Amino acid sequence: MENISRWLDLARWAPSGDNSQPWDVRFEEHTDALVFRISVKKDSIRTVFDQVFHGSYVSLGTFSQNLVLLAEAEGYFCTKIDVLTEVGQPATFVLTFRQELSHGSKIWKKPIEELIRHRRVTRYPYQVKPLDPEILEALQVSLSEFPEIRFSYLESPYHELASLFFKLDKFRYRHSLAYNQFLDELRTETEFQRTQDGLALKSLGTPLPAQWFLLLLRRFRWLHFLIHLGVGAVMAYLGGYFLIVRSGAIGALCASSNSPLSWFRFGMAFQKVWLSAVDEGLAFQPMGTPLLVYSAVAVNDTDHFSPRDRQELQEISKSMLDRFKIDLEKPCVFFRIGKTSKVAPDSARKPMPPLERA
Ligand SMILES: Cc1cc2nc3c(=O)[nH]c(=O)nc-3n(C[C@H](O)[C@H](O)[C@H](O)COP(=O)(O)O)c2cc1C
């Protein structure tokens, strides 16, 4: 029981979209197995962009990958993942672990606990010189237990990809009022320390002026008109275009189907490759929000998006498919990898509630 609480306490250092940390965990101990029921926390659905829970499933997957690796280090292997579904409710993923002889899993250079605890998003420009192909191959190999997920690297220069992201990001800022719940949940550092809830502004990684702007927007929603006057384009340039072209390599992960389990396993794979990059001494940043947001919801959401919006997204989605063979209708994410001497700041986590037995 002590071990389980320690695993969960470490697993919560997993990455999650907007640092939402949507995991709810219940635990059962059987004579021959440990069973974890991992589902989406009741109060964590906060944006129009996660109505079908895809982003949350990815985050449950990153969390579960941590759990799998921590358990493996102590001789427990995840032998089964079941999915429980109920109409209108998010799926629950049931992970069964059994004590078994070693499965010959990946050998890490650094202790896995250290990797899990110190993995961070690094949102700085990286050295642009190409990375050692052997290291890149090692990242690819780390995903061998996910045969359904395609891993690829893009050819540099990355201007074309950066332009598509720029369009997606501008779209996102233009619709940031659809993010009303997101703005409601924003917390300054002091507020976060006091409430231990909401989205800690610091961990979103936006530059300081953009953080001030978001706080102003939270207070005075009418200031949104500034986005249309070019502020959105500046934010999209600095937070997307500029960083993409300053990367050592750009990778992509794509899954071939769209079920809750695919999104969940996609999250597991995503975390595995991220930890592998950290193990190789590389900095890493997902460029995932626009893809997850728009592929999953916006194209079909007639309540929040106009026909013109949807047409714009469909055009972007077509370019992604034609140019990069990335199908936005399925789980996919891009990420920047590179070397940098800058140290990413620690991000915030909510405490794990006391362990509940199912
Ligand atoms: C599905 C997913 C998508 C993400 N997309 C982005 C992104 O587009 N840009 C970014 O800087 N971080 C992105 N992140 C990283 C989260 O913002 C980050 O994990 C969270 O703020 C906690 O910070 P930490 O990972 O440094 O602990 C993403 C994370 C996940 C799981």
mmCIF file of all heavy atoms in Angstrom, residues 90-134:
data_model
loop_
_atom_site.group_PDB
_atom_site.id
_atom_site.type_symbol
_atom_site.label_atom_id
_atom_site.label_comp_id
_atom_site.label_asym_id
_atom_site.label_seq_id
_atom_site.Cartn_x
_atom_site.Cartn_y
_atom_site.Cartn_z
ATOM 1 N N PRO A 90 -17.317 9.780 -19.696
ATOM 2 C CA PRO A 90 -15.988 9.415 -20.190
ATOM 3 C C PRO A 90 -15.659 7.965 -19.842
ATOM 4 O O PRO A 90 -16.171 7.433 -18.861
ATOM 5 C CB PRO A 90 -15.060 10.377 -19.444
ATOM 6 C CG PRO A 90 -15.832 10.898 -18.294
ATOM 7 C CD PRO A 90 -17.286 10.797 -18.644
ATOM 8 N N ALA A 91 -14.806 7.351 -20.659
ATOM 9 C CA ALA A 91 -14.426 5.948 -20.425
ATOM 10 C C ALA A 91 -13.552 5.831 -19.175
ATOM 11 O O ALA A 91 -12.891 6.786 -18.769
ATOM 12 C CB ALA A 91 -13.651 5.439 -21.632
ATOM 13 N N THR A 92 -13.576 4.625 -18.582
ATOM 14 C CA THR A 92 -12.660 4.302 -17.476
ATOM 15 C C THR A 92 -11.702 3.231 -17.987
ATOM 16 O O THR A 92 -12.124 2.287 -18.666
ATOM 17 C CB THR A 92 -13.459 3.741 -16.279
ATOM 18 O OG1 THR A 92 -14.313 4.776 -15.798
ATOM 19 C CG2 THR A 92 -12.542 3.287 -15.153
ATOM 20 N N PHE A 93 -10.420 3.390 -17.674
ATOM 21 C CA PHE A 93 -9.407 2.424 -18.118
ATOM 22 C C PHE A 93 -8.985 1.596 -16.907
ATOM 23 O O PHE A 93 -8.612 2.170 -15.873
ATOM 24 C CB PHE A 93 -8.225 3.162 -18.739
ATOM 25 C CG PHE A 93 -8.655 4.028 -19.889
ATOM 26 C CD1 PHE A 93 -9.026 5.346 -19.689
ATOM 27 C CD2 PHE A 93 -8.762 3.498 -21.170
ATOM 28 C CE1 PHE A 93 -9.476 6.134 -20.741
ATOM 29 C CE2 PHE A 93 -9.208 4.282 -22.232
ATOM 30 C CZ PHE A 93 -9.566 5.610 -22.014
ATOM 31 N N VAL A 94 -9.087 0.281 -17.062
ATOM 32 C CA VAL A 94 -8.784 -0.596 -15.925
ATOM 33 C C VAL A 94 -7.478 -1.332 -16.218
ATOM 34 O O VAL A 94 -7.394 -2.141 -17.159
ATOM 35 C CB VAL A 94 -9.930 -1.611 -15.705
ATOM 36 C CG1 VAL A 94 -9.657 -2.438 -14.450
ATOM 37 C CG2 VAL A 94 -11.265 -0.885 -15.574
ATOM 38 N N LEU A 95 -6.458 -1.021 -15.439
ATOM 39 C CA LEU A 95 -5.127 -1.605 -15.674
ATOM 40 C C LEU A 95 -4.869 -2.701 -14.639
ATOM 41 O O LEU A 95 -4.979 -2.452 -13.435
ATOM 42 C CB LEU A 95 -4.041 -0.538 -15.519
ATOM 43 C CG LEU A 95 -3.769 0.357 -16.724
ATOM 44 C CD1 LEU A 95 -4.968 1.230 -17.047
ATOM 45 C CD2 LEU A 95 -2.559 1.239 -16.487
ATOM 46 N N THR A 96 -4.555 -3.901 -15.128
ATOM 47 C CA THR A 96 -4.255 -5.015 -14.224
ATOM 48 C C THR A 96 -2.753 -5.280 -14.242
ATOM 49 O O THR A 96 -2.155 -5.393 -15.315
ATOM 50 C CB THR A 96 -5.003 -6.288 -14.693
ATOM 51 O OG1 THR A 96 -6.387 -5.961 -14.755
ATOM 52 C CG2 THR A 96 -4.789 -7.450 -13.745
ATOM 53 N N PHE A 97 -2.177 -5.352 -13.061
ATOM 54 C CA PHE A 97 -0.741 -5.637 -12.936
ATOM 55 C C PHE A 97 -0.543 -6.966 -12.224
ATOM 56 O O PHE A 97 -1.244 -7.244 -11.238
ATOM 57 C CB PHE A 97 -0.059 -4.557 -12.079
ATOM 58 C CG PHE A 97 0.012 -3.208 -12.739
ATOM 59 C CD1 PHE A 97 -1.093 -2.381 -12.762
ATOM 60 C CD2 PHE A 97 1.186 -2.769 -13.332
ATOM 61 C CE1 PHE A 97 -1.038 -1.128 -13.363
ATOM 62 C CE2 PHE A 97 1.254 -1.519 -13.933
ATOM 63 C CZ PHE A 97 0.136 -0.701 -13.949
ATOM 64 N N ARG A 98 0.396 -7.770 -12.719
ATOM 65 C CA ARG A 98 0.744 -9.024 -12.031
ATOM 66 C C ARG A 98 2.252 -9.074 -11.838
ATOM 67 O O ARG A 98 3.003 -8.504 -12.648
ATOM 68 C CB ARG A 98 0.312 -10.232 -12.868
ATOM 69 C CG ARG A 98 -1.187 -10.364 -12.926
ATOM 70 C CD ARG A 98 -1.612 -11.563 -13.768
ATOM 71 N NE ARG A 98 -2.980 -11.378 -14.217
ATOM 72 C CZ ARG A 98 -4.050 -11.575 -13.469
ATOM 73 N NH1 ARG A 98 -3.922 -12.010 -12.246
ATOM 74 N NH2 ARG A 98 -5.256 -11.369 -13.944
ATOM 75 N N GLN A 99 2.642 -9.805 -10.784
ATOM 76 C CA GLN A 99 4.063 -9.961 -10.535
ATOM 77 C C GLN A 99 4.575 -11.031 -11.487
ATOM 78 O O GLN A 99 4.045 -12.152 -11.478
ATOM 79 C CB GLN A 99 4.291 -10.396 -9.101
ATOM 80 C CG GLN A 99 5.234 -9.494 -8.405
ATOM 81 C CD GLN A 99 5.331 -9.768 -6.933
ATOM 82 O OE1 GLN A 99 4.504 -10.453 -6.363
ATOM 83 N NE2 GLN A 99 6.356 -9.216 -6.327
ATOM 84 N N GLU A 100 5.519 -10.704 -12.338
ATOM 85 C CA GLU A 100 6.020 -11.680 -13.313
ATOM 86 C C GLU A 100 7.519 -11.529 -13.446
ATOM 87 O O GLU A 100 8.079 -10.516 -13.029
ATOM 88 C CB GLU A 100 5.366 -11.434 -14.680
ATOM 89 C CG GLU A 100 3.942 -11.929 -14.713
ATOM 90 C CD GLU A 100 3.288 -11.714 -16.070
ATOM 91 O OE1 GLU A 100 3.988 -11.343 -17.027
ATOM 92 O OE2 GLU A 100 2.071 -11.929 -16.155
ATOM 93 N N LEU A 101 8.119 -12.507 -14.128
ATOM 94 C CA LEU A 101 9.550 -12.377 -14.394
ATOM 95 C C LEU A 101 9.750 -11.272 -15.422
ATOM 96 O O LEU A 101 8.826 -10.928 -16.166
ATOM 97 C CB LEU A 101 10.091 -13.701 -14.936
ATOM 98 C CG LEU A 101 10.163 -14.817 -13.890
ATOM 99 C CD1 LEU A 101 10.613 -16.108 -14.535
ATOM 100 C CD2 LEU A 101 11.117 -14.421 -12.759
ATOM 101 N N SER A 102 10.944 -10.747 -15.492
ATOM 102 C CA SER A 102 11.217 -9.601 -16.364
ATOM 103 C C SER A 102 10.753 -9.824 -17.799
ATOM 104 O O SER A 102 10.874 -10.907 -18.356
ATOM 105 C CB SER A 102 12.707 -9.322 -16.358
ATOM 106 O OG SER A 102 12.984 -8.390 -17.356
ATOM 107 N N HIS A 103 10.183 -8.791 -18.409
ATOM 108 C CA HIS A 103 9.730 -8.851 -19.794
ATOM 109 C C HIS A 103 10.793 -8.345 -20.755
ATOM 110 O O HIS A 103 10.506 -8.104 -21.921
ATOM 111 C CB HIS A 103 8.507 -7.945 -19.971
ATOM 112 C CG HIS A 103 7.253 -8.568 -19.458
ATOM 113 N ND1 HIS A 103 6.011 -8.241 -19.941
ATOM 114 C CD2 HIS A 103 7.050 -9.497 -18.516
ATOM 115 C CE1 HIS A 103 5.093 -8.934 -19.303
ATOM 116 N NE2 HIS A 103 5.703 -9.704 -18.432
ATOM 117 N N GLY A 104 11.972 -8.098 -20.238
ATOM 118 C CA GLY A 104 13.027 -7.539 -21.100
ATOM 119 C C GLY A 104 12.676 -6.150 -21.583
ATOM 120 O O GLY A 104 12.826 -5.839 -22.753
ATOM 121 N N SER A 105 12.148 -5.316 -20.675
ATOM 122 C CA SER A 105 11.740 -3.979 -21.124
ATOM 123 C C SER A 105 12.951 -3.057 -21.271
ATOM 124 O O SER A 105 14.076 -3.443 -20.962
ATOM 125 C CB SER A 105 10.717 -3.390 -20.157
ATOM 126 O OG SER A 105 10.761 -4.053 -18.937
ATOM 127 N N LYS A 106 12.675 -1.852 -21.738
ATOM 128 C CA LYS A 106 13.747 -0.889 -22.037
ATOM 129 C C LYS A 106 14.662 -0.659 -20.836
ATOM 130 O O LYS A 106 14.200 -0.573 -19.703
ATOM 131 C CB LYS A 106 13.071 0.436 -22.433
ATOM 132 C CG LYS A 106 14.025 1.574 -22.688
ATOM 133 C CD LYS A 106 13.275 2.789 -23.198
ATOM 134 C CE LYS A 106 14.078 4.061 -23.079
ATOM 135 N NZ LYS A 106 15.293 4.130 -23.867
ATOM 136 N N ILE A 107 15.937 -0.535 -21.136
ATOM 137 C CA ILE A 107 16.891 -0.231 -20.059
ATOM 138 C C ILE A 107 17.144 1.270 -20.085
ATOM 139 O O ILE A 107 17.529 1.828 -21.123
ATOM 140 C CB ILE A 107 18.196 -1.013 -20.259
ATOM 141 C CG1 ILE A 107 17.805 -2.482 -20.353
ATOM 142 C CG2 ILE A 107 19.213 -0.691 -19.163
ATOM 143 C CD1 ILE A 107 18.867 -3.482 -20.202
ATOM 144 N N TRP A 108 16.882 1.904 -18.988
ATOM 145 C CA TRP A 108 17.037 3.361 -18.918
ATOM 146 C C TRP A 108 18.439 3.697 -18.422
ATOM 147 O O TRP A 108 19.015 2.966 -17.613
ATOM 148 C CB TRP A 108 15.984 3.940 -17.966
ATOM 149 C CG TRP A 108 14.583 3.640 -18.401
ATOM 150 C CD1 TRP A 108 13.863 2.529 -18.089
ATOM 151 C CD2 TRP A 108 13.750 4.434 -19.245
ATOM 152 N NE1 TRP A 108 12.623 2.592 -18.685
ATOM 153 C CE2 TRP A 108 12.525 3.753 -19.406
ATOM 154 C CE3 TRP A 108 13.897 5.662 -19.892
ATOM 155 C CZ2 TRP A 108 11.472 4.236 -20.168
ATOM 156 C CZ3 TRP A 108 12.853 6.160 -20.651
ATOM 157 C CH2 TRP A 108 11.657 5.461 -20.791
ATOM 158 N N LYS A 109 18.958 4.839 -18.888
ATOM 159 C CA LYS A 109 20.295 5.263 -18.427
ATOM 160 C C LYS A 109 20.193 5.862 -17.035
ATOM 161 O O LYS A 109 21.089 5.728 -16.228
ATOM 162 C CB LYS A 109 20.845 6.332 -19.379
ATOM 163 C CG LYS A 109 21.103 5.793 -20.770
ATOM 164 C CD LYS A 109 21.662 6.863 -21.662
ATOM 165 C CE LYS A 109 21.884 6.301 -23.044
ATOM 166 N NZ LYS A 109 22.068 7.319 -24.051
ATOM 167 N N LYS A 110 19.091 6.575 -16.790
ATOM 168 C CA LYS A 110 18.925 7.225 -15.476
ATOM 169 C C LYS A 110 17.820 6.507 -14.707
ATOM 170 O O LYS A 110 16.967 5.862 -15.328
ATOM 171 C CB LYS A 110 18.516 8.686 -15.686
ATOM 172 C CG LYS A 110 19.552 9.466 -16.438
ATOM 173 C CD LYS A 110 19.239 10.951 -16.453
ATOM 174 C CE LYS A 110 20.218 11.676 -17.354
ATOM 175 N NZ LYS A 110 19.600 12.460 -18.408
ATOM 176 N N PRO A 111 17.798 6.644 -13.364
ATOM 177 C CA PRO A 111 16.717 6.000 -12.609
ATOM 178 C C PRO A 111 15.356 6.531 -13.067
ATOM 179 O O PRO A 111 15.190 7.740 -13.263
ATOM 180 C CB PRO A 111 16.991 6.418 -11.155
ATOM 181 C CG PRO A 111 18.399 6.895 -11.144
ATOM 182 C CD PRO A 111 18.739 7.370 -12.513
ATOM 183 N N ILE A 112 14.409 5.606 -13.231
ATOM 184 C CA ILE A 112 13.116 5.979 -13.809
ATOM 185 C C ILE A 112 12.381 6.999 -12.935
ATOM 186 O O ILE A 112 11.716 7.910 -13.433
ATOM 187 C CB ILE A 112 12.260 4.718 -14.118
ATOM 188 C CG1 ILE A 112 11.084 5.079 -15.013
ATOM 189 C CG2 ILE A 112 11.782 3.998 -12.884
ATOM 190 C CD1 ILE A 112 11.443 5.522 -16.371
ATOM 191 N N GLU A 113 12.543 6.880 -11.622
ATOM 192 C CA GLU A 113 11.855 7.836 -10.722
ATOM 193 C C GLU A 113 12.349 9.254 -10.987
ATOM 194 O O GLU A 113 11.576 10.205 -11.000
ATOM 195 C CB GLU A 113 12.113 7.485 -9.254
ATOM 196 C CG GLU A 113 11.538 6.141 -8.891
ATOM 197 C CD GLU A 113 11.379 5.932 -7.391
ATOM 198 O OE1 GLU A 113 11.690 6.850 -6.616
ATOM 199 O OE2 GLU A 113 10.930 4.834 -7.012
ATOM 200 N N GLU A 114 13.664 9.347 -11.195
ATOM 201 C CA GLU A 114 14.253 10.665 -11.446
ATOM 202 C C GLU A 114 13.737 11.246 -12.767
ATOM 203 O O GLU A 114 13.386 12.412 -12.867
ATOM 204 C CB GLU A 114 15.774 10.490 -11.489
ATOM 205 C CG GLU A 114 16.547 11.762 -11.525
ATOM 206 C CD GLU A 114 18.040 11.467 -11.691
ATOM 207 O OE1 GLU A 114 18.589 10.698 -10.874
ATOM 208 O OE2 GLU A 114 18.622 11.968 -12.651
ATOM 209 N N LEU A 115 13.671 10.373 -13.784
ATOM 210 C CA LEU A 115 13.197 10.846 -15.091
ATOM 211 C C LEU A 115 11.760 11.354 -14.995
ATOM 212 O O LEU A 115 11.412 12.402 -15.532
ATOM 213 C CB LEU A 115 13.250 9.701 -16.119
ATOM 214 C CG LEU A 115 14.638 9.304 -16.600
ATOM 215 C CD1 LEU A 115 14.554 8.065 -17.475
ATOM 216 C CD2 LEU A 115 15.255 10.455 -17.387
ATOM 217 N N ILE A 116 10.928 10.563 -14.314
ATOM 218 C CA ILE A 116 9.506 10.926 -14.206
ATOM 219 C C ILE A 116 9.346 12.241 -13.442
ATOM 220 O O ILE A 116 8.587 13.122 -13.829
ATOM 221 C CB ILE A 116 8.719 9.784 -13.513
ATOM 222 C CG1 ILE A 116 8.604 8.610 -14.484
ATOM 223 C CG2 ILE A 116 7.357 10.250 -13.023
ATOM 224 C CD1 ILE A 116 7.955 7.369 -13.921
ATOM 225 N N ARG A 117 10.121 12.387 -12.388
ATOM 226 C CA ARG A 117 9.975 13.577 -11.540
ATOM 227 C C ARG A 117 10.544 14.828 -12.204
ATOM 228 O O ARG A 117 10.031 15.922 -12.016
ATOM 229 C CB ARG A 117 10.665 13.323 -10.182
ATOM 230 C CG ARG A 117 10.593 14.471 -9.210
ATOM 231 C CD ARG A 117 9.158 14.827 -8.843
ATOM 232 N NE ARG A 117 9.089 16.060 -8.054
ATOM 233 C CZ ARG A 117 9.082 17.276 -8.558
ATOM 234 N NH1 ARG A 117 9.114 17.469 -9.882
ATOM 235 N NH2 ARG A 117 9.023 18.329 -7.765
ATOM 236 N N HIS A 118 11.592 14.655 -13.022
ATOM 237 C CA HIS A 118 12.252 15.856 -13.544
ATOM 238 C C HIS A 118 11.959 16.150 -15.016
ATOM 239 O O HIS A 118 12.486 17.107 -15.562
ATOM 240 C CB HIS A 118 13.754 15.804 -13.261
ATOM 241 C CG HIS A 118 14.016 15.789 -11.780
ATOM 242 N ND1 HIS A 118 13.722 16.861 -10.973
ATOM 243 C CD2 HIS A 118 14.464 14.818 -10.957
ATOM 244 C CE1 HIS A 118 13.995 16.558 -9.717
ATOM 245 N NE2 HIS A 118 14.442 15.311 -9.682
ATOM 246 N N ARG A 119 11.132 15.357 -15.653
ATOM 247 C CA ARG A 119 10.732 15.663 -17.033
ATOM 248 C C ARG A 119 9.975 16.991 -17.068
ATOM 249 O O ARG A 119 9.145 17.236 -16.196
ATOM 250 C CB ARG A 119 9.826 14.523 -17.542
ATOM 251 C CG ARG A 119 9.247 14.735 -18.932
ATOM 252 C CD ARG A 119 7.846 14.169 -19.038
ATOM 253 N NE ARG A 119 7.000 14.656 -17.972
ATOM 254 C CZ ARG A 119 6.430 15.840 -17.972
ATOM 255 N NH1 ARG A 119 6.574 16.669 -18.981
ATOM 256 N NH2 ARG A 119 5.704 16.240 -16.926
ATOM 257 N N ARG A 120 10.279 17.840 -17.998
ATOM 258 C CA ARG A 120 9.624 19.147 -18.097
ATOM 259 C C ARG A 120 9.397 19.517 -19.547
ATOM 260 O O ARG A 120 10.150 19.087 -20.414
ATOM 261 C CB ARG A 120 10.541 20.252 -17.541
ATOM 262 C CG ARG A 120 10.638 20.330 -16.066
ATOM 263 C CD ARG A 120 9.384 20.942 -15.455
ATOM 264 N NE ARG A 120 9.253 20.507 -14.093
ATOM 265 C CZ ARG A 120 8.630 19.390 -13.705
ATOM 266 N NH1 ARG A 120 8.015 18.629 -14.566
ATOM 267 N NH2 ARG A 120 8.585 19.057 -12.455
ATOM 268 N N VAL A 121 8.439 20.378 -19.792
ATOM 269 C CA VAL A 121 8.347 20.985 -21.121
ATOM 270 C C VAL A 121 9.417 22.053 -21.191
ATOM 271 O O VAL A 121 9.513 22.867 -20.278
ATOM 272 C CB VAL A 121 7.015 21.747 -21.318
ATOM 273 C CG1 VAL A 121 6.914 22.271 -22.730
ATOM 274 C CG2 VAL A 121 5.832 20.927 -20.951
ATOM 275 N N THR A 122 10.180 22.054 -22.264
ATOM 276 C CA THR A 122 11.191 23.104 -22.413
ATOM 277 C C THR A 122 10.787 23.987 -23.589
ATOM 278 O O THR A 122 10.905 23.590 -24.741
ATOM 279 C CB THR A 122 12.581 22.475 -22.642
ATOM 280 O OG1 THR A 122 12.771 21.482 -21.628
ATOM 281 C CG2 THR A 122 13.685 23.500 -22.521
ATOM 282 N N ARG A 123 10.296 25.170 -23.252
ATOM 283 C CA ARG A 123 9.695 26.022 -24.290
ATOM 284 C C ARG A 123 10.664 27.105 -24.771
ATOM 285 O O ARG A 123 10.242 28.213 -25.061
ATOM 286 C CB ARG A 123 8.416 26.655 -23.750
ATOM 287 C CG ARG A 123 7.338 25.643 -23.381
ATOM 288 C CD ARG A 123 6.083 26.315 -22.883
ATOM 289 N NE ARG A 123 5.034 25.366 -22.608
ATOM 290 C CZ ARG A 123 4.725 24.916 -21.386
ATOM 291 N NH1 ARG A 123 5.396 25.334 -20.352
ATOM 292 N NH2 ARG A 123 3.734 24.059 -21.213
ATOM 293 N N TYR A 124 11.954 26.787 -24.779
ATOM 294 C CA TYR A 124 12.951 27.741 -25.279
ATOM 295 C C TYR A 124 13.338 27.351 -26.698
ATOM 296 O O TYR A 124 13.117 26.216 -27.115
ATOM 297 C CB TYR A 124 14.211 27.691 -24.413
ATOM 298 C CG TYR A 124 13.967 28.044 -22.965
ATOM 299 C CD1 TYR A 124 14.108 27.094 -21.962
ATOM 300 C CD2 TYR A 124 13.616 29.340 -22.613
ATOM 301 C CE1 TYR A 124 13.895 27.423 -20.631
ATOM 302 C CE2 TYR A 124 13.400 29.670 -21.279
ATOM 303 C CZ TYR A 124 13.536 28.707 -20.304
ATOM 304 O OH TYR A 124 13.315 29.030 -18.992
ATOM 305 N N PRO A 125 13.995 28.296 -27.425
ATOM 306 C CA PRO A 125 14.577 27.888 -28.706
ATOM 307 C C PRO A 125 15.681 26.855 -28.436
ATOM 308 O O PRO A 125 16.360 26.946 -27.410
ATOM 309 C CB PRO A 125 15.189 29.183 -29.256
ATOM 310 C CG PRO A 125 14.591 30.296 -28.462
ATOM 311 C CD PRO A 125 14.173 29.740 -27.147
ATOM 312 N N TYR A 126 15.838 25.864 -29.318
ATOM 313 C CA TYR A 126 16.890 24.849 -29.158
ATOM 314 C C TYR A 126 17.986 25.101 -30.187
ATOM 315 O O TYR A 126 17.800 25.839 -31.150
ATOM 316 C CB TYR A 126 16.334 23.441 -29.406
ATOM 317 C CG TYR A 126 15.156 23.023 -28.539
ATOM 318 C CD1 TYR A 126 14.301 22.010 -28.975
ATOM 319 C CD2 TYR A 126 14.896 23.607 -27.298
ATOM 320 C CE1 TYR A 126 13.217 21.590 -28.196
ATOM 321 C CE2 TYR A 126 13.824 23.195 -26.520
ATOM 322 C CZ TYR A 126 12.986 22.192 -26.970
ATOM 323 O OH TYR A 126 11.929 21.795 -26.212
ATOM 324 N N GLN A 127 19.126 24.399 -29.992
ATOM 325 C CA GLN A 127 20.170 24.445 -31.032
ATOM 326 C C GLN A 127 19.576 23.831 -32.299
ATOM 327 O O GLN A 127 18.943 22.768 -32.226
ATOM 328 C CB GLN A 127 21.361 23.588 -30.616
ATOM 329 C CG GLN A 127 22.140 24.147 -29.463
ATOM 330 C CD GLN A 127 23.223 23.192 -28.992
ATOM 331 O OE1 GLN A 127 23.556 22.205 -29.667
ATOM 332 N NE2 GLN A 127 23.769 23.454 -27.828
ATOM 333 N N VAL A 128 19.824 24.483 -33.452
ATOM 334 C CA VAL A 128 19.163 23.985 -34.662
ATOM 335 C C VAL A 128 20.004 22.946 -35.413
ATOM 336 O O VAL A 128 19.552 22.375 -36.395
ATOM 337 C CB VAL A 128 18.760 25.126 -35.624
ATOM 338 C CG1 VAL A 128 17.612 25.915 -35.059
ATOM 339 C CG2 VAL A 128 19.933 26.022 -35.938
ATOM 340 N N LYS A 129 21.221 22.689 -34.935
ATOM 341 C CA LYS A 129 22.014 21.705 -35.699
ATOM 342 C C LYS A 129 21.397 20.311 -35.520
ATOM 343 O O LYS A 129 20.905 19.968 -34.435
ATOM 344 C CB LYS A 129 23.484 21.795 -35.337
ATOM 345 C CG LYS A 129 23.965 21.127 -34.150
ATOM 346 C CD LYS A 129 25.497 21.222 -34.184
ATOM 347 C CE LYS A 129 26.065 20.426 -33.079
ATOM 348 N NZ LYS A 129 26.479 20.868 -31.894
ATOM 349 N N PRO A 130 21.381 19.515 -36.627
ATOM 350 C CA PRO A 130 20.678 18.240 -36.595
ATOM 351 C C PRO A 130 21.189 17.343 -35.472
ATOM 352 O O PRO A 130 22.366 17.349 -35.139
ATOM 353 C CB PRO A 130 20.977 17.629 -37.965
ATOM 354 C CG PRO A 130 21.467 18.734 -38.801
ATOM 355 C CD PRO A 130 22.043 19.778 -37.898
ATOM 356 N N LEU A 131 20.297 16.533 -34.919
ATOM 357 C CA LEU A 131 20.669 15.659 -33.801
ATOM 358 C C LEU A 131 21.255 14.363 -34.326
ATOM 359 O O LEU A 131 20.998 13.949 -35.458
ATOM 360 C CB LEU A 131 19.424 15.364 -32.969
ATOM 361 C CG LEU A 131 18.810 16.598 -32.310
ATOM 362 C CD1 LEU A 131 17.475 16.259 -31.669
ATOM 363 C CD2 LEU A 131 19.760 17.152 -31.252
ATOM 364 N N ASP A 132 22.025 13.719 -33.469
ATOM 365 C CA ASP A 132 22.654 12.451 -33.795
ATOM 366 C C ASP A 132 21.583 11.417 -34.210
ATOM 367 O O ASP A 132 20.674 11.122 -33.432
ATOM 368 C CB ASP A 132 23.381 11.998 -32.507
ATOM 369 C CG ASP A 132 24.176 10.736 -32.708
ATOM 370 O OD1 ASP A 132 23.960 10.083 -33.737
ATOM 371 O OD2 ASP A 132 25.000 10.422 -31.824
ATOM 372 N N PRO A 133 21.673 10.858 -35.441
ATOM 373 C CA PRO A 133 20.634 9.924 -35.906
ATOM 374 C C PRO A 133 20.472 8.721 -34.977
ATOM 375 O O PRO A 133 19.376 8.189 -34.833
ATOM 376 C CB PRO A 133 21.126 9.469 -37.282
ATOM 377 C CG PRO A 133 22.197 10.405 -37.663
ATOM 378 C CD PRO A 133 22.709 11.091 -36.435
ATOM 379 N N GLU A 134 21.575 8.321 -34.301
ATOM 380 C CA GLU A 134 21.452 7.160 -33.396
ATOM 381 C C GLU A 134 20.542 7.455 -32.216
ATOM 382 O O GLU A 134 19.761 6.598 -31.779
ATOM 383 C CB GLU A 134 22.822 6.754 -32.865
ATOM 384 C CG GLU A 134 23.512 5.808 -33.815
ATOM 385 C CD GLU A 134 24.950 5.566 -33.406
ATOM 386 O OE1 GLU A 134 25.250 5.644 -32.203
ATOM 387 O OE2 GLU A 134 25.765 5.317 -34.313
#
